[in-house]
Short mmCIF file of all heavy atoms in Angstrom, two decimals:
data_model
loop_
_atom_site.label_atom_id
_atom_site.label_comp_id
_atom_site.label_asym_id
_atom_site.label_seq_id
_atom_site.Cartn_x
_atom_site.Cartn_y
_atom_site.Cartn_z
N MET A 287 11.21 -38.26 146.79
CA MET A 287 11.49 -39.58 146.14
C MET A 287 12.74 -40.16 146.92
O MET A 287 13.89 -39.62 146.87
CB MET A 287 11.80 -39.44 144.71
CG MET A 287 10.64 -38.96 143.92
SD MET A 287 9.20 -40.21 143.96
CE MET A 287 9.13 -40.59 142.22
N ASP A 288 12.58 -41.25 147.56
CA ASP A 288 13.68 -42.02 148.21
C ASP A 288 14.19 -43.15 147.30
O ASP A 288 13.44 -44.05 146.93
CB ASP A 288 13.08 -42.54 149.57
CG ASP A 288 14.25 -43.11 150.43
OD1 ASP A 288 15.38 -43.24 149.84
OD2 ASP A 288 13.99 -43.43 151.55
N PRO A 289 15.38 -43.01 146.96
CA PRO A 289 16.00 -43.98 146.03
C PRO A 289 16.19 -45.31 146.68
O PRO A 289 16.32 -46.45 146.07
CB PRO A 289 17.21 -43.40 145.44
CG PRO A 289 17.74 -42.47 146.60
CD PRO A 289 16.34 -41.95 147.24
N HIS A 290 16.16 -45.33 148.07
CA HIS A 290 16.51 -46.57 148.78
C HIS A 290 15.22 -47.27 149.12
O HIS A 290 14.24 -46.66 149.51
CB HIS A 290 17.29 -46.29 150.04
CG HIS A 290 18.58 -45.49 149.75
ND1 HIS A 290 19.60 -46.04 149.16
CD2 HIS A 290 18.96 -44.21 150.01
CE1 HIS A 290 20.69 -45.14 149.07
NE2 HIS A 290 20.14 -44.04 149.62
N PRO A 291 15.17 -48.58 148.97
CA PRO A 291 14.02 -49.33 149.32
C PRO A 291 13.78 -49.30 150.86
O PRO A 291 14.74 -49.32 151.61
CB PRO A 291 14.30 -50.76 148.85
CG PRO A 291 15.80 -50.85 148.78
CD PRO A 291 16.22 -49.40 148.41
N ARG A 292 12.56 -49.27 151.22
CA ARG A 292 12.28 -49.07 152.65
C ARG A 292 12.56 -50.44 153.31
O ARG A 292 12.15 -51.45 152.75
CB ARG A 292 10.86 -48.74 152.91
CG ARG A 292 10.60 -47.26 152.63
CD ARG A 292 9.08 -46.94 152.81
NE ARG A 292 8.40 -47.71 151.72
CZ ARG A 292 7.06 -47.80 151.71
NH1 ARG A 292 6.27 -47.30 152.64
NH2 ARG A 292 6.43 -48.43 150.70
N PRO A 293 13.16 -50.41 154.45
CA PRO A 293 13.40 -51.69 155.12
C PRO A 293 12.08 -52.24 155.66
O PRO A 293 11.15 -51.56 156.08
CB PRO A 293 14.29 -51.33 156.36
CG PRO A 293 14.10 -49.89 156.53
CD PRO A 293 13.78 -49.30 155.15
N GLY A 294 11.90 -53.55 155.35
CA GLY A 294 10.68 -54.20 155.87
C GLY A 294 9.71 -54.29 154.75
O GLY A 294 8.65 -55.12 154.78
N SER A 295 9.87 -53.54 153.69
CA SER A 295 8.84 -53.54 152.60
C SER A 295 9.18 -54.74 151.63
O SER A 295 8.30 -55.14 150.88
CB SER A 295 8.81 -52.26 151.77
OG SER A 295 10.02 -52.06 151.20
N GLY A 296 10.36 -55.20 151.69
CA GLY A 296 10.74 -56.40 150.93
C GLY A 296 12.00 -56.97 151.40
O GLY A 296 12.92 -56.17 151.65
N ARG A 297 12.07 -58.28 151.32
CA ARG A 297 13.22 -58.94 151.80
C ARG A 297 14.03 -59.44 150.57
O ARG A 297 13.54 -60.20 149.88
CB ARG A 297 12.98 -60.09 152.73
CG ARG A 297 12.70 -59.57 154.19
CD ARG A 297 12.27 -60.73 155.02
NE ARG A 297 10.84 -61.16 154.72
CZ ARG A 297 10.30 -62.04 155.29
NH1 ARG A 297 10.82 -62.67 156.27
NH2 ARG A 297 9.01 -62.31 154.92
N SER A 298 15.18 -58.92 150.40
CA SER A 298 15.99 -59.32 149.27
C SER A 298 16.74 -60.65 149.55
O SER A 298 16.87 -61.42 148.71
CB SER A 298 17.02 -58.27 148.79
OG SER A 298 17.76 -57.84 149.97
N SER A 299 17.07 -60.79 150.84
CA SER A 299 17.80 -62.07 151.20
C SER A 299 16.76 -63.04 151.62
O SER A 299 16.67 -63.36 152.80
CB SER A 299 18.86 -61.76 152.34
OG SER A 299 18.14 -61.10 153.38
N PHE A 300 16.03 -63.55 150.77
CA PHE A 300 14.98 -64.48 151.14
C PHE A 300 15.38 -65.94 150.96
O PHE A 300 15.69 -66.26 149.89
CB PHE A 300 13.71 -64.24 150.28
CG PHE A 300 12.41 -64.75 150.89
CD1 PHE A 300 11.68 -63.98 151.73
CD2 PHE A 300 11.96 -65.95 150.40
CE1 PHE A 300 10.56 -64.37 152.29
CE2 PHE A 300 10.80 -66.46 151.03
CZ PHE A 300 10.09 -65.72 151.89
N GLY A 301 15.63 -66.56 151.97
CA GLY A 301 16.18 -67.88 151.95
C GLY A 301 15.12 -69.01 152.02
O GLY A 301 14.44 -69.10 151.92
N GLY A 302 15.05 -70.07 152.30
CA GLY A 302 13.86 -70.84 152.37
C GLY A 302 13.29 -71.41 151.16
O GLY A 302 13.57 -70.79 150.09
N LEU A 303 12.51 -72.34 151.26
CA LEU A 303 12.04 -73.11 150.08
C LEU A 303 10.90 -72.25 149.48
O LEU A 303 9.95 -71.84 150.02
CB LEU A 303 11.42 -74.44 150.47
CG LEU A 303 12.45 -75.42 150.81
CD1 LEU A 303 11.77 -76.67 151.32
CD2 LEU A 303 13.29 -75.82 149.64
N GLU A 304 11.10 -71.99 148.16
CA GLU A 304 10.10 -71.20 147.37
C GLU A 304 9.40 -72.06 146.41
O GLU A 304 10.08 -72.59 145.49
CB GLU A 304 10.85 -70.06 146.70
CG GLU A 304 9.95 -68.94 146.35
CD GLU A 304 9.26 -68.32 147.53
OE1 GLU A 304 9.76 -68.40 148.69
OE2 GLU A 304 8.09 -67.87 147.30
N ALA A 305 8.11 -72.10 146.63
CA ALA A 305 7.36 -72.85 145.58
C ALA A 305 7.24 -72.12 144.40
O ALA A 305 6.63 -71.06 144.37
CB ALA A 305 6.02 -73.33 146.17
N SER A 306 7.70 -72.66 143.30
CA SER A 306 7.58 -71.88 142.03
C SER A 306 6.53 -72.44 141.09
O SER A 306 5.98 -71.72 140.25
CB SER A 306 8.89 -71.84 141.27
OG SER A 306 9.36 -73.20 141.00
N SER A 307 6.17 -73.72 141.36
CA SER A 307 5.07 -74.30 140.59
C SER A 307 4.29 -75.29 141.46
O SER A 307 4.93 -75.97 142.25
CB SER A 307 5.50 -74.84 139.30
OG SER A 307 6.27 -75.97 139.48
N LEU A 308 2.94 -75.30 141.37
CA LEU A 308 2.24 -76.27 142.13
C LEU A 308 1.13 -76.80 141.19
O LEU A 308 0.74 -76.28 140.18
CB LEU A 308 1.53 -75.47 143.29
CG LEU A 308 2.43 -75.02 144.40
CD1 LEU A 308 1.62 -74.09 145.38
CD2 LEU A 308 2.92 -76.21 145.15
N TYR A 309 0.56 -77.93 141.64
CA TYR A 309 -0.50 -78.65 140.84
C TYR A 309 -1.74 -77.75 140.96
O TYR A 309 -2.28 -77.41 142.01
CB TYR A 309 -0.68 -80.02 141.46
CG TYR A 309 -1.79 -80.69 140.57
CD1 TYR A 309 -1.48 -81.28 139.35
CD2 TYR A 309 -3.06 -80.77 141.08
CE1 TYR A 309 -2.38 -81.93 138.60
CE2 TYR A 309 -4.02 -81.47 140.30
CZ TYR A 309 -3.69 -82.01 139.07
OH TYR A 309 -4.65 -82.69 138.39
N CYS A 310 -2.24 -77.46 139.82
CA CYS A 310 -3.53 -76.68 139.70
C CYS A 310 -4.62 -77.62 139.33
O CYS A 310 -4.57 -78.36 138.23
CB CYS A 310 -3.44 -75.54 138.74
SG CYS A 310 -5.03 -74.65 138.60
N ARG A 311 -5.63 -77.80 140.14
CA ARG A 311 -6.72 -78.87 139.76
C ARG A 311 -7.61 -78.33 138.64
O ARG A 311 -8.19 -79.20 138.01
CB ARG A 311 -7.56 -79.18 141.04
CG ARG A 311 -8.21 -77.91 141.66
CD ARG A 311 -9.11 -78.20 142.82
NE ARG A 311 -9.51 -77.04 143.44
CZ ARG A 311 -9.40 -76.65 144.64
NH1 ARG A 311 -8.81 -77.49 145.47
NH2 ARG A 311 -9.88 -75.46 145.10
N ARG A 312 -7.58 -76.99 138.44
CA ARG A 312 -8.47 -76.55 137.31
C ARG A 312 -7.73 -76.82 136.04
O ARG A 312 -8.37 -77.24 135.06
CB ARG A 312 -8.74 -75.11 137.47
CG ARG A 312 -9.79 -74.58 136.62
CD ARG A 312 -10.11 -73.09 136.66
NE ARG A 312 -10.83 -72.77 137.99
CZ ARG A 312 -11.17 -71.57 138.24
NH1 ARG A 312 -10.91 -70.57 137.45
NH2 ARG A 312 -11.90 -71.33 139.34
N CYS A 313 -6.41 -76.52 136.02
CA CYS A 313 -5.64 -76.80 134.68
C CYS A 313 -5.24 -78.24 134.70
O CYS A 313 -4.87 -78.75 133.66
CB CYS A 313 -4.40 -76.04 134.82
SG CYS A 313 -4.63 -74.21 134.79
N GLN A 314 -5.38 -78.98 135.74
CA GLN A 314 -5.01 -80.36 135.89
C GLN A 314 -3.61 -80.71 135.59
O GLN A 314 -3.24 -81.55 134.93
CB GLN A 314 -5.95 -81.28 134.97
CG GLN A 314 -7.42 -81.08 135.43
CD GLN A 314 -8.39 -82.21 134.76
OE1 GLN A 314 -8.07 -82.53 133.70
NE2 GLN A 314 -9.37 -82.63 135.56
N LYS A 315 -2.77 -79.67 135.86
CA LYS A 315 -1.36 -79.81 135.77
C LYS A 315 -0.62 -78.88 136.69
O LYS A 315 -1.30 -77.94 137.20
CB LYS A 315 -0.91 -79.70 134.32
CG LYS A 315 -1.24 -78.27 133.71
CD LYS A 315 -1.03 -78.14 132.27
CE LYS A 315 0.45 -77.78 131.92
NZ LYS A 315 0.59 -77.36 130.53
N ALA A 316 0.68 -79.08 136.72
CA ALA A 316 1.54 -78.13 137.53
C ALA A 316 1.62 -76.81 136.80
O ALA A 316 1.91 -76.85 135.56
CB ALA A 316 2.77 -78.68 137.83
N GLN A 317 1.39 -75.68 137.49
CA GLN A 317 1.49 -74.43 136.81
C GLN A 317 2.38 -73.49 137.72
O GLN A 317 2.49 -73.62 138.86
CB GLN A 317 0.10 -73.78 136.67
CG GLN A 317 -0.88 -74.53 135.84
CD GLN A 317 -0.59 -74.40 134.37
OE1 GLN A 317 0.56 -74.21 133.89
NE2 GLN A 317 -1.58 -74.42 133.64
N PRO A 318 2.97 -72.50 137.01
CA PRO A 318 3.75 -71.51 137.88
C PRO A 318 2.74 -70.73 138.76
O PRO A 318 1.57 -70.61 138.31
CB PRO A 318 4.33 -70.60 136.80
CG PRO A 318 3.63 -70.85 135.53
CD PRO A 318 3.11 -72.31 135.61
N VAL A 319 3.11 -70.48 139.86
CA VAL A 319 2.17 -69.74 140.79
C VAL A 319 2.72 -68.43 141.25
O VAL A 319 3.92 -68.09 141.17
CB VAL A 319 2.06 -70.75 142.11
CG1 VAL A 319 1.40 -71.98 141.75
CG2 VAL A 319 3.44 -70.88 142.77
N ARG A 320 1.76 -67.60 141.78
CA ARG A 320 2.01 -66.31 142.23
C ARG A 320 1.69 -66.30 143.80
O ARG A 320 0.71 -66.89 144.16
CB ARG A 320 1.12 -65.31 141.55
CG ARG A 320 1.30 -63.87 141.92
CD ARG A 320 0.48 -62.90 141.02
NE ARG A 320 -0.78 -63.47 140.80
CZ ARG A 320 -1.52 -63.46 139.69
NH1 ARG A 320 -0.87 -62.86 138.61
NH2 ARG A 320 -2.69 -63.88 139.48
N ARG A 321 2.55 -65.78 144.50
CA ARG A 321 2.36 -65.79 145.91
C ARG A 321 1.74 -64.50 146.49
O ARG A 321 2.09 -63.50 145.96
CB ARG A 321 3.77 -66.08 146.66
CG ARG A 321 3.60 -66.31 148.07
CD ARG A 321 4.97 -66.86 148.61
NE ARG A 321 5.76 -65.56 148.79
CZ ARG A 321 6.77 -65.61 149.68
NH1 ARG A 321 7.11 -66.60 150.42
NH2 ARG A 321 7.50 -64.54 149.83
N LYS A 322 0.84 -64.53 147.30
CA LYS A 322 0.14 -63.45 147.93
C LYS A 322 0.12 -63.52 149.39
O LYS A 322 -0.28 -64.60 149.95
CB LYS A 322 -1.32 -63.32 147.36
CG LYS A 322 -1.98 -62.05 147.86
CD LYS A 322 -3.39 -62.01 147.32
CE LYS A 322 -4.06 -60.83 147.87
NZ LYS A 322 -5.57 -60.96 147.65
N LEU A 323 0.53 -62.43 150.06
CA LEU A 323 0.49 -62.34 151.56
C LEU A 323 -0.88 -62.29 152.07
O LEU A 323 -1.60 -61.31 151.62
CB LEU A 323 1.44 -61.33 151.98
CG LEU A 323 1.50 -61.08 153.58
CD1 LEU A 323 2.03 -62.36 154.25
CD2 LEU A 323 2.34 -59.88 153.86
N LEU A 324 -1.32 -63.09 152.84
CA LEU A 324 -2.82 -63.07 153.34
C LEU A 324 -2.79 -62.45 154.75
O LEU A 324 -3.63 -61.56 154.97
CB LEU A 324 -3.27 -64.48 153.43
CG LEU A 324 -3.61 -65.27 152.15
CD1 LEU A 324 -4.28 -66.52 152.49
CD2 LEU A 324 -4.64 -64.42 151.22
N LEU A 325 -2.00 -62.95 155.65
CA LEU A 325 -2.10 -62.62 157.00
C LEU A 325 -0.63 -62.44 157.68
O LEU A 325 0.15 -63.22 157.29
CB LEU A 325 -2.84 -63.58 157.83
CG LEU A 325 -4.34 -63.68 157.72
CD1 LEU A 325 -4.87 -64.94 158.41
CD2 LEU A 325 -5.00 -62.47 158.34
N VAL A 326 -0.52 -61.62 158.52
CA VAL A 326 0.69 -61.43 159.33
C VAL A 326 0.29 -61.94 160.73
O VAL A 326 -0.39 -61.25 161.37
CB VAL A 326 1.38 -60.15 159.28
CG1 VAL A 326 2.61 -60.14 160.06
CG2 VAL A 326 1.67 -59.74 157.80
N LEU A 327 0.86 -63.04 161.18
CA LEU A 327 0.49 -63.63 162.53
C LEU A 327 1.85 -63.53 163.39
O LEU A 327 2.86 -63.46 162.85
CB LEU A 327 0.18 -65.03 162.38
CG LEU A 327 -1.14 -65.29 161.53
CD1 LEU A 327 -1.33 -66.71 161.10
CD2 LEU A 327 -2.35 -64.72 162.18
N PRO A 328 1.57 -63.60 164.68
CA PRO A 328 2.72 -63.51 165.58
C PRO A 328 3.75 -64.76 165.33
O PRO A 328 4.92 -64.55 165.49
CB PRO A 328 2.17 -63.75 166.98
CG PRO A 328 0.71 -63.39 166.85
CD PRO A 328 0.30 -63.65 165.45
N GLN A 329 3.20 -65.87 164.83
CA GLN A 329 4.01 -66.99 164.60
C GLN A 329 4.54 -67.10 163.15
O GLN A 329 5.33 -67.92 162.75
CB GLN A 329 3.29 -68.30 164.92
CG GLN A 329 2.06 -68.47 164.09
CD GLN A 329 0.75 -68.05 164.76
OE1 GLN A 329 0.76 -66.98 165.32
NE2 GLN A 329 -0.30 -68.79 164.64
N GLY A 330 4.16 -66.19 162.31
CA GLY A 330 4.63 -66.18 161.01
C GLY A 330 3.68 -65.43 159.98
O GLY A 330 2.79 -64.77 160.40
N GLU A 331 3.99 -65.70 158.65
CA GLU A 331 3.23 -64.97 157.67
C GLU A 331 2.46 -66.07 156.90
O GLU A 331 3.05 -66.93 156.43
CB GLU A 331 4.08 -64.08 156.85
CG GLU A 331 4.72 -62.98 157.55
CD GLU A 331 5.74 -62.22 156.84
OE1 GLU A 331 6.45 -62.93 155.91
OE2 GLU A 331 5.88 -61.01 156.96
N LYS A 332 1.11 -65.81 156.76
CA LYS A 332 0.36 -66.70 156.00
C LYS A 332 0.32 -66.28 154.43
O LYS A 332 -0.10 -65.18 154.12
CB LYS A 332 -1.08 -66.76 156.46
CG LYS A 332 -2.00 -67.62 155.76
CD LYS A 332 -2.07 -69.06 156.36
CE LYS A 332 -2.98 -70.03 155.63
NZ LYS A 332 -4.42 -69.79 156.09
N PHE A 333 0.73 -67.18 153.61
CA PHE A 333 0.78 -66.89 152.12
C PHE A 333 -0.23 -67.84 151.43
O PHE A 333 -0.38 -68.93 151.82
CB PHE A 333 2.19 -67.11 151.57
CG PHE A 333 3.14 -66.06 151.99
CD1 PHE A 333 3.96 -66.30 153.10
CD2 PHE A 333 3.31 -64.88 151.29
CE1 PHE A 333 4.89 -65.29 153.56
CE2 PHE A 333 4.24 -64.00 151.65
CZ PHE A 333 5.01 -64.16 152.85
N ALA A 334 -0.75 -67.33 150.24
CA ALA A 334 -1.55 -68.20 149.47
C ALA A 334 -0.91 -68.19 148.08
O ALA A 334 -0.33 -67.27 147.79
CB ALA A 334 -2.95 -67.72 149.40
N TYR A 335 -1.12 -69.31 147.40
CA TYR A 335 -0.55 -69.42 146.07
C TYR A 335 -1.61 -69.48 145.09
O TYR A 335 -2.50 -70.29 145.18
CB TYR A 335 0.46 -70.69 145.99
CG TYR A 335 1.64 -70.59 146.88
CD1 TYR A 335 1.60 -70.96 148.21
CD2 TYR A 335 2.77 -70.05 146.40
CE1 TYR A 335 2.70 -70.88 149.06
CE2 TYR A 335 3.92 -69.92 147.19
CZ TYR A 335 3.92 -70.34 148.49
OH TYR A 335 5.01 -70.23 149.27
N TYR A 336 -1.43 -68.79 143.98
CA TYR A 336 -2.31 -68.83 142.96
C TYR A 336 -1.87 -69.14 141.57
O TYR A 336 -0.75 -68.74 141.32
CB TYR A 336 -3.09 -67.33 142.86
CG TYR A 336 -3.83 -66.92 144.01
CD1 TYR A 336 -3.13 -66.26 145.06
CD2 TYR A 336 -5.12 -67.27 144.22
CE1 TYR A 336 -3.83 -65.91 146.22
CE2 TYR A 336 -5.84 -66.94 145.35
CZ TYR A 336 -5.22 -66.18 146.34
OH TYR A 336 -5.92 -65.90 147.47
N CYS A 337 -2.49 -69.94 140.84
CA CYS A 337 -2.13 -70.36 139.53
C CYS A 337 -1.97 -69.15 138.70
O CYS A 337 -2.97 -68.22 138.65
CB CYS A 337 -3.17 -71.23 138.91
SG CYS A 337 -2.84 -71.70 137.22
N THR A 338 -0.93 -68.88 138.05
CA THR A 338 -0.82 -67.68 137.18
C THR A 338 -1.50 -67.80 135.93
O THR A 338 -1.78 -66.80 135.08
CB THR A 338 0.77 -67.44 136.82
OG1 THR A 338 1.19 -68.61 136.16
CG2 THR A 338 1.47 -67.18 138.07
N VAL A 339 -2.02 -68.95 135.57
CA VAL A 339 -2.63 -69.22 134.30
C VAL A 339 -4.25 -68.92 134.45
O VAL A 339 -4.86 -68.23 133.67
CB VAL A 339 -2.49 -70.59 133.66
CG1 VAL A 339 -3.26 -70.80 132.49
CG2 VAL A 339 -0.95 -70.79 133.39
N CYS A 340 -4.85 -69.59 135.45
CA CYS A 340 -6.31 -69.47 135.68
C CYS A 340 -6.70 -68.68 136.84
O CYS A 340 -7.92 -68.31 137.03
CB CYS A 340 -6.99 -70.81 135.56
SG CYS A 340 -6.63 -71.74 137.08
N GLY A 341 -5.71 -68.40 137.78
CA GLY A 341 -6.10 -67.66 138.98
C GLY A 341 -6.56 -68.45 140.14
O GLY A 341 -6.86 -68.01 141.30
N GLU A 342 -6.69 -69.83 139.98
CA GLU A 342 -7.19 -70.72 141.07
C GLU A 342 -6.19 -70.65 142.23
O GLU A 342 -4.98 -70.77 141.96
CB GLU A 342 -7.28 -72.15 140.48
CG GLU A 342 -7.80 -73.17 141.47
CD GLU A 342 -9.26 -73.20 141.72
OE1 GLU A 342 -9.98 -72.33 141.13
OE2 GLU A 342 -9.79 -74.21 142.23
N GLU A 343 -6.69 -70.77 143.39
CA GLU A 343 -5.82 -70.87 144.56
C GLU A 343 -5.35 -72.36 144.68
O GLU A 343 -6.19 -73.22 144.60
CB GLU A 343 -6.54 -70.59 145.85
CG GLU A 343 -5.59 -70.65 147.06
CD GLU A 343 -6.24 -70.29 148.40
OE1 GLU A 343 -7.21 -69.43 148.39
OE2 GLU A 343 -5.88 -70.79 149.37
N VAL A 344 -4.03 -72.59 144.58
CA VAL A 344 -3.51 -73.92 144.51
C VAL A 344 -2.85 -74.28 145.92
O VAL A 344 -2.44 -75.50 145.95
CB VAL A 344 -2.46 -74.04 143.46
CG1 VAL A 344 -3.18 -73.91 142.07
CG2 VAL A 344 -1.36 -73.03 143.50
N GLY A 345 -2.79 -73.37 146.85
CA GLY A 345 -2.28 -73.82 148.05
C GLY A 345 -1.97 -72.61 148.98
O GLY A 345 -2.10 -71.57 148.59
N SER A 346 -1.64 -72.97 150.19
CA SER A 346 -1.36 -71.91 151.15
C SER A 346 -0.32 -72.38 152.13
O SER A 346 -0.07 -73.55 152.24
CB SER A 346 -2.50 -71.28 151.94
OG SER A 346 -3.07 -72.44 152.69
N LYS A 347 0.39 -71.51 152.75
CA LYS A 347 1.42 -71.98 153.59
C LYS A 347 1.70 -70.89 154.70
O LYS A 347 1.57 -69.68 154.52
CB LYS A 347 2.72 -72.18 152.82
CG LYS A 347 4.03 -71.95 153.50
CD LYS A 347 5.16 -72.38 152.52
CE LYS A 347 6.20 -71.37 152.65
NZ LYS A 347 7.45 -71.65 151.91
N LEU A 348 2.00 -71.37 155.99
CA LEU A 348 2.37 -70.48 156.93
C LEU A 348 3.91 -70.38 157.10
O LEU A 348 4.48 -71.46 157.33
CB LEU A 348 1.83 -70.99 158.35
CG LEU A 348 2.13 -70.03 159.63
CD1 LEU A 348 1.49 -68.72 159.30
CD2 LEU A 348 1.65 -70.71 160.80
N GLU A 349 4.45 -69.28 156.74
CA GLU A 349 5.95 -69.19 156.78
C GLU A 349 6.26 -68.85 158.17
O GLU A 349 5.89 -67.67 158.67
CB GLU A 349 6.35 -68.18 155.75
CG GLU A 349 7.80 -68.31 155.47
CD GLU A 349 8.13 -67.91 154.02
OE1 GLU A 349 7.85 -68.59 153.07
OE2 GLU A 349 8.42 -66.67 153.88
N GLN A 350 7.06 -69.53 158.83
CA GLN A 350 7.51 -69.29 160.28
C GLN A 350 8.41 -68.02 160.31
O GLN A 350 9.22 -67.77 159.48
CB GLN A 350 8.33 -70.40 160.74
CG GLN A 350 7.64 -71.81 160.71
CD GLN A 350 6.61 -71.96 161.75
OE1 GLN A 350 6.83 -71.63 162.91
NE2 GLN A 350 5.50 -72.52 161.37
N ALA A 351 8.05 -67.19 161.34
CA ALA A 351 8.81 -66.04 161.64
C ALA A 351 10.19 -66.61 162.09
O ALA A 351 10.31 -67.55 162.71
CB ALA A 351 8.19 -65.23 162.69
N GLN A 352 11.17 -65.77 161.73
CA GLN A 352 12.54 -66.10 162.16
C GLN A 352 12.67 -65.98 163.61
O GLN A 352 12.44 -64.91 164.21
CB GLN A 352 13.56 -65.25 161.42
CG GLN A 352 13.49 -65.31 159.88
CD GLN A 352 14.83 -65.70 159.32
OE1 GLN A 352 15.92 -65.33 159.78
NE2 GLN A 352 14.87 -66.58 158.26
N ALA A 353 13.13 -67.11 164.28
CA ALA A 353 13.32 -67.16 165.72
C ALA A 353 14.46 -66.27 166.07
O ALA A 353 15.47 -66.33 165.46
CB ALA A 353 13.42 -68.41 166.17
N PRO A 354 14.40 -65.37 167.10
CA PRO A 354 15.53 -64.62 167.48
C PRO A 354 16.66 -65.47 167.98
O PRO A 354 16.35 -66.52 168.70
CB PRO A 354 15.04 -63.70 168.62
CG PRO A 354 13.67 -64.26 168.93
CD PRO A 354 13.22 -65.18 167.77
N ALA A 355 17.88 -65.18 167.68
CA ALA A 355 19.01 -66.15 168.06
C ALA A 355 19.21 -66.24 169.55
O ALA A 355 18.97 -65.24 170.28
CB ALA A 355 20.23 -65.68 167.40
ZN1 ZN B 181 -4.74 -73.10 136.77
#
């Protein structure tokens, strides 16, 4: 049992715009969303957002990989 979180398994210093709620067409209103990692691409990570109420996919986004300085 390793008490320390593995590097790469989760980023605690997550900066960037985080969508916390999006319009859900099934609920016909903005709902809190859950983010799911779909793909890891060379240019970034593809995420999809799902309504936490009905589970409908409400959006997706490609998060750019951090460019090396
Ligand atoms: Zn919904």
Side-chain angles (χ1 to χ4, degrees):
M287 294 298 240
D288 187 351
H290 302 292
R292 282 174 299 170
S295 64
R297 277 174 291 180
S298 55
S299 59
F300 202 85
L303 290 173
E304 197 60 28
S306 56
S307 68
L308 288 170
Y309 181 80
C310 174
R311 59 180 173 233
R312 191 182 289 182
C313 298
Q314 300 193 326
K315 62 188 268 195
Q317 296 286 29
V319 294
R320 182 173 41 220
R321 192 169 77 155
K322 184 184 175 189
L323 178 62
L324 288 184
L325 283 170
V326 178
L327 301 167
Q329 63 268 40
E331 296 173 328
K332 178 92 181 279
F333 290 93
Y335 294 89
Y336 297 92
C337 174
T338 57
V339 178
C340 72
E342 179 85 350
E343 183 179 332
V344 293
S346 63
K347 148 176 140 169
L348 180 68
E349 197 152 279
Q350 303 283 320
Q352 298 236 326

